[in-house]
Amino acid sequence: MKNIRNFCIIAHIDHGKSTLADRLLEFTKTVGVKDMQNQVLDDMDLERERGITIKSHAIQMDYALNGENYTLNLIDTPGHVDFSYEVSRSIAACEGALLVVDATQGVQAQTISNLYMAIDNGLEIIPVINKIDMDSAHPDEVEDEIVDLLGCDPEEIIRVSARTGEGVPKVLEAIVARIPAPNGDPEAPLQALIFDSVFNPFRGIIVYFKIENGSIHKGDLVKFVNTGKQYNADEIGVLKLQMAPRDVLNTGTVGYIISGIKTSAEVRVGDTITQVATPCDKAIEGFQEVKPMVFAGVYPIDPEDFENLRTSLEKLQLNDASLTFTPESSVALGFGFRCGFLGLLHMEIVQERLSREFNMEVITTVPNVSYKVYDKKGVMTEVHNPAGLPDPTLIEHIEEPYIRASIITQSEFMGPIITLCLGKRGELVKQDYISGNRMELTFDIPLGEIVIDFYDKLKSISKGYASFDYYISDFRDSKLIKMDILLNGQPVDALSSLIHVDNAVTLGRRMCEKLKELIPRQQYDIAIQAAIGAKIIARETVKQVRKDVTAKCYGGDVSRKRKLLEKQKAGKKRMKQIGTVQVPQKAFLAVLKLD
């Protein structure tokens, strides 16, 4: 056990985590030359296309130093704020972390956020400055920033280039020298923490775990403590590039177990595995439950696919524990699910994965956040969907979630960023200079305001330099109202939204104009209206497609033309009574893109 090291790599987006992981695998000869490729651990097509890590990936490396053999368990983690739950789960299975900072960018918001998460879990931090081979690198300034942040000695910081491999051997030596070995009891009853799981169509659910105490043998009868279910350990092993079966796994090891589990509800990330014969006293205190930030309805395009969508979401949830969903129904879209996501990128990735991995084409409604609604009797209900809002006459007040946002930027972009945040009903809490011309701005902003396009706008006005991180701080009383969109007098519940009273008229007008562009013309006029209660605040009309019925009337009395027009008018009226307006998927998504 003294020769095992469990560590993860944490960093901001695009600071070179996956590239550094590639070099570590190359230097330890874990991956052969023919299997080597960029982002070798990122096994999803989506990750390669976008150049981002979506899932944490665990792999075991063998490393020899001074005549001793060491086992290094590496977990490569995502950098985007939407996947911070993946990072928290990886941290729970480690004793140390490599903190990677880009020599061209310096310390950024997600660097600080992930660092605090690691420190809270008592991990040993090894700071690494990456991309020192770049022309625009300024490693001395970045070193000063890290020293300010960590309070460490400059000698402890390792300078590397993950692209060329320079400095990577020093990283491996530091992992062995500075990260402590796991400190479990090999003689105690088995206690293993589940930190991930994947669905395999042939072998059932494969569970990844880290053994805190005791050991597990192939064929053991094991129990999952929280669910109380018992299974046979048909296969256990460690995670190389492919799964490598073993007969026994000891304390401190990261490994997998296959026991023919078919139902996704039986596996919970954060659960404890123990033996039935000699169970442990209590479960390991797992990490916090995930709290979704953004809610959206997900509906199958064909209503008959509802059960297939449920199965697809359950399988996806195994692979992505931060996804939550509950069934709901909509007048416009039929039966579907109200899904909780960690952010808009997370929502986009889930939609893309449903399409690619499960061949499920879905309609996604306008995303919104959860609100606390208090009625006249003082009873609080949590509302995730504008359709679930009680009658306005019964509501005493509504509270919305606020976030504490940290934005790190160069001082030249400070003015436009403050203007953007104040325009989103934000309040400036403080501003601090980090070093040179880099500063940290802290705001309190309503979560509902940043959910749609805030991050894109922030990147645009700062030329990509500003970095952004946030956490939910509290709920505050707000003047919120429900705005409905009516098509020919019928409300489309999927387009309803809860918005601040000051923004209602402008947003209603813009939504009507956008829908007018996107809804195809029909045989009759379509009235698009935005309404608050019974009051109409905006209206647009999609003009009907008309045949010129008077074309064949040349000359003669005007009453002949009028008769034909009246006949056409009556037909259009009858059509309007039985016709329904088809709202294309583009229209639901276009509401997000209102600029």
Side-chain angles (χ1 to χ4, degrees), residues 221-225 228-231 272-276 279:
L221 186 62
V222 296
K223 182 171 102 173
F224 289 18
V225 175
K229 302 274 187 184
Q230 299 184 5
Y231 309 99
T272 304
I273 304 174
T274 189
Q275 275 157 338
V276 174

PDB file of all heavy atoms in Angstrom, residues 221-225 228-231 272-276 279:
ATOM      1  N   LEU A 221     -19.315 -12.206  -2.067  1.00  0.00           N
ATOM      2  CA  LEU A 221     -20.692 -11.694  -2.017  1.00  0.00           C
ATOM      3  C   LEU A 221     -20.632 -10.317  -1.361  1.00  0.00           C
ATOM      4  O   LEU A 221     -20.232 -10.190  -0.202  1.00  0.00           O
ATOM      5  CB  LEU A 221     -21.586 -12.645  -1.199  1.00  0.00           C
ATOM      6  CG  LEU A 221     -23.081 -12.308  -1.191  1.00  0.00           C
ATOM      7  CD1 LEU A 221     -23.675 -12.383  -2.600  1.00  0.00           C
ATOM      8  CD2 LEU A 221     -23.854 -13.232  -0.257  1.00  0.00           C
ATOM      9  N   VAL A 222     -20.962  -9.283  -2.127  1.00  0.00           N
ATOM     10  CA  VAL A 222     -20.824  -7.912  -1.606  1.00  0.00           C
ATOM     11  C   VAL A 222     -22.196  -7.252  -1.495  1.00  0.00           C
ATOM     12  O   VAL A 222     -23.170  -7.696  -2.103  1.00  0.00           O
ATOM     13  CB  VAL A 222     -19.903  -7.043  -2.504  1.00  0.00           C
ATOM     14  CG1 VAL A 222     -18.492  -7.584  -2.518  1.00  0.00           C
ATOM     15  CG2 VAL A 222     -20.452  -6.927  -3.917  1.00  0.00           C
ATOM     16  N   LYS A 223     -22.225  -6.183  -0.702  1.00  0.00           N
ATOM     17  CA  LYS A 223     -23.477  -5.452  -0.483  1.00  0.00           C
ATOM     18  C   LYS A 223     -23.239  -3.965  -0.703  1.00  0.00           C
ATOM     19  O   LYS A 223     -22.201  -3.440  -0.306  1.00  0.00           O
ATOM     20  CB  LYS A 223     -23.955  -5.703   0.955  1.00  0.00           C
ATOM     21  CG  LYS A 223     -25.276  -5.021   1.276  1.00  0.00           C
ATOM     22  CD  LYS A 223     -25.801  -5.481   2.626  1.00  0.00           C
ATOM     23  CE  LYS A 223     -25.529  -4.426   3.685  1.00  0.00           C
ATOM     24  NZ  LYS A 223     -26.146  -4.717   4.962  1.00  0.00           N
ATOM     25  N   PHE A 224     -24.193  -3.285  -1.360  1.00  0.00           N
ATOM     26  CA  PHE A 224     -24.165  -1.827  -1.482  1.00  0.00           C
ATOM     27  C   PHE A 224     -24.956  -1.274  -0.294  1.00  0.00           C
ATOM     28  O   PHE A 224     -26.152  -1.520  -0.181  1.00  0.00           O
ATOM     29  CB  PHE A 224     -24.799  -1.374  -2.813  1.00  0.00           C
ATOM     30  CG  PHE A 224     -23.963  -1.685  -4.029  1.00  0.00           C
ATOM     31  CD1 PHE A 224     -22.944  -2.628  -3.986  1.00  0.00           C
ATOM     32  CD2 PHE A 224     -24.177  -1.028  -5.228  1.00  0.00           C
ATOM     33  CE1 PHE A 224     -22.166  -2.910  -5.104  1.00  0.00           C
ATOM     34  CE2 PHE A 224     -23.411  -1.305  -6.357  1.00  0.00           C
ATOM     35  CZ  PHE A 224     -22.403  -2.251  -6.289  1.00  0.00           C
ATOM     36  N   VAL A 225     -24.294  -0.526   0.564  1.00  0.00           N
ATOM     37  CA  VAL A 225     -24.866  -0.173   1.877  1.00  0.00           C
ATOM     38  C   VAL A 225     -26.167   0.628   1.759  1.00  0.00           C
ATOM     39  O   VAL A 225     -27.163   0.297   2.392  1.00  0.00           O
ATOM     40  CB  VAL A 225     -23.824   0.589   2.737  1.00  0.00           C
ATOM     41  CG1 VAL A 225     -24.433   1.061   4.042  1.00  0.00           C
ATOM     42  CG2 VAL A 225     -22.615  -0.302   3.012  1.00  0.00           C
ATOM     43  N   GLY A 228     -28.853  -1.487  -0.022  1.00  0.00           N
ATOM     44  CA  GLY A 228     -29.073  -2.769   0.656  1.00  0.00           C
ATOM     45  C   GLY A 228     -29.054  -3.969  -0.277  1.00  0.00           C
ATOM     46  O   GLY A 228     -29.344  -5.097   0.139  1.00  0.00           O
ATOM     47  N   LYS A 229     -28.725  -3.791  -1.548  1.00  0.00           N
ATOM     48  CA  LYS A 229     -28.727  -4.899  -2.518  1.00  0.00           C
ATOM     49  C   LYS A 229     -27.430  -5.713  -2.407  1.00  0.00           C
ATOM     50  O   LYS A 229     -26.375  -5.168  -2.089  1.00  0.00           O
ATOM     51  CB  LYS A 229     -28.841  -4.348  -3.939  1.00  0.00           C
ATOM     52  CG  LYS A 229     -30.075  -3.500  -4.179  1.00  0.00           C
ATOM     53  CD  LYS A 229     -31.255  -4.362  -4.551  1.00  0.00           C
ATOM     54  CE  LYS A 229     -32.444  -3.505  -4.954  1.00  0.00           C
ATOM     55  NZ  LYS A 229     -33.628  -4.293  -5.226  1.00  0.00           N
ATOM     56  N   GLN A 230     -27.535  -7.023  -2.690  1.00  0.00           N
ATOM     57  CA  GLN A 230     -26.363  -7.916  -2.619  1.00  0.00           C
ATOM     58  C   GLN A 230     -26.044  -8.471  -4.008  1.00  0.00           C
ATOM     59  O   GLN A 230     -26.946  -8.766  -4.792  1.00  0.00           O
ATOM     60  CB  GLN A 230     -26.651  -9.077  -1.654  1.00  0.00           C
ATOM     61  CG  GLN A 230     -26.920  -8.608  -0.236  1.00  0.00           C
ATOM     62  CD  GLN A 230     -27.116  -9.773   0.735  1.00  0.00           C
ATOM     63  OE1 GLN A 230     -26.960 -10.924   0.366  1.00  0.00           O
ATOM     64  NE2 GLN A 230     -27.458  -9.448   1.965  1.00  0.00           N
ATOM     65  N   TYR A 231     -24.740  -8.610  -4.269  1.00  0.00           N
ATOM     66  CA  TYR A 231     -24.298  -9.109  -5.580  1.00  0.00           C
ATOM     67  C   TYR A 231     -23.073  -9.989  -5.416  1.00  0.00           C
ATOM     68  O   TYR A 231     -22.338  -9.875  -4.430  1.00  0.00           O
ATOM     69  CB  TYR A 231     -23.900  -7.943  -6.513  1.00  0.00           C
ATOM     70  CG  TYR A 231     -24.922  -6.851  -6.623  1.00  0.00           C
ATOM     71  CD1 TYR A 231     -24.800  -5.683  -5.873  1.00  0.00           C
ATOM     72  CD2 TYR A 231     -26.015  -6.985  -7.472  1.00  0.00           C
ATOM     73  CE1 TYR A 231     -25.746  -4.676  -5.961  1.00  0.00           C
ATOM     74  CE2 TYR A 231     -26.960  -5.979  -7.571  1.00  0.00           C
ATOM     75  CZ  TYR A 231     -26.829  -4.835  -6.818  1.00  0.00           C
ATOM     76  OH  TYR A 231     -27.756  -3.840  -6.907  1.00  0.00           O
ATOM     77  N   THR A 272     -21.412   3.008  -0.591  1.00  0.00           N
ATOM     78  CA  THR A 272     -20.294   2.220  -0.060  1.00  0.00           C
ATOM     79  C   THR A 272     -20.508   0.746  -0.383  1.00  0.00           C
ATOM     80  O   THR A 272     -21.616   0.227  -0.224  1.00  0.00           O
ATOM     81  CB  THR A 272     -20.205   2.407   1.473  1.00  0.00           C
ATOM     82  OG1 THR A 272     -20.089   3.793   1.747  1.00  0.00           O
ATOM     83  CG2 THR A 272     -19.013   1.663   2.056  1.00  0.00           C
ATOM     84  N   ILE A 273     -19.433   0.075  -0.823  1.00  0.00           N
ATOM     85  CA  ILE A 273     -19.485  -1.377  -1.057  1.00  0.00           C
ATOM     86  C   ILE A 273     -18.838  -2.054   0.153  1.00  0.00           C
ATOM     87  O   ILE A 273     -17.760  -1.653   0.601  1.00  0.00           O
ATOM     88  CB  ILE A 273     -18.714  -1.779  -2.328  1.00  0.00           C
ATOM     89  CG1 ILE A 273     -19.247  -1.023  -3.553  1.00  0.00           C
ATOM     90  CG2 ILE A 273     -18.773  -3.281  -2.563  1.00  0.00           C
ATOM     91  CD1 ILE A 273     -18.450  -1.263  -4.832  1.00  0.00           C
ATOM     92  N   THR A 274     -19.490  -3.102   0.690  1.00  0.00           N
ATOM     93  CA  THR A 274     -18.895  -3.894   1.776  1.00  0.00           C
ATOM     94  C   THR A 274     -19.208  -5.372   1.550  1.00  0.00           C
ATOM     95  O   THR A 274     -19.985  -5.709   0.649  1.00  0.00           O
ATOM     96  CB  THR A 274     -19.408  -3.403   3.152  1.00  0.00           C
ATOM     97  OG1 THR A 274     -18.652  -4.045   4.179  1.00  0.00           O
ATOM     98  CG2 THR A 274     -20.887  -3.694   3.333  1.00  0.00           C
ATOM     99  N   GLN A 275     -18.600  -6.258   2.364  1.00  0.00           N
ATOM    100  CA  GLN A 275     -18.863  -7.694   2.211  1.00  0.00           C
ATOM    101  C   GLN A 275     -20.053  -8.109   3.072  1.00  0.00           C
ATOM    102  O   GLN A 275     -20.259  -7.564   4.159  1.00  0.00           O
ATOM    103  CB  GLN A 275     -17.620  -8.496   2.608  1.00  0.00           C
ATOM    104  CG  GLN A 275     -16.643  -8.618   1.448  1.00  0.00           C
ATOM    105  CD  GLN A 275     -15.213  -8.877   1.900  1.00  0.00           C
ATOM    106  OE1 GLN A 275     -14.856  -8.576   3.025  1.00  0.00           O
ATOM    107  NE2 GLN A 275     -14.395  -9.403   1.012  1.00  0.00           N
ATOM    108  N   VAL A 276     -20.809  -9.065   2.581  1.00  0.00           N
ATOM    109  CA  VAL A 276     -21.988  -9.532   3.329  1.00  0.00           C
ATOM    110  C   VAL A 276     -21.545 -10.294   4.577  1.00  0.00           C
ATOM    111  O   VAL A 276     -22.122 -10.145   5.659  1.00  0.00           O
ATOM    112  CB  VAL A 276     -22.881 -10.417   2.424  1.00  0.00           C
ATOM    113  CG1 VAL A 276     -24.026 -11.032   3.209  1.00  0.00           C
ATOM    114  CG2 VAL A 276     -23.415  -9.596   1.255  1.00  0.00           C
ATOM    115  N   PRO A 279     -19.583  -7.246   7.318  1.00  0.00           N
ATOM    116  CA  PRO A 279     -19.894  -5.881   6.877  1.00  0.00           C
ATOM    117  C   PRO A 279     -19.190  -4.828   7.729  1.00  0.00           C
ATOM    118  O   PRO A 279     -18.827  -5.075   8.886  1.00  0.00           O
ATOM    119  CB  PRO A 279     -21.413  -5.794   7.053  1.00  0.00           C
ATOM    120  CG  PRO A 279     -21.733  -6.808   8.098  1.00  0.00           C
ATOM    121  CD  PRO A 279     -20.715  -7.898   7.992  1.00  0.00           C
TER     122      PRO A 279
END
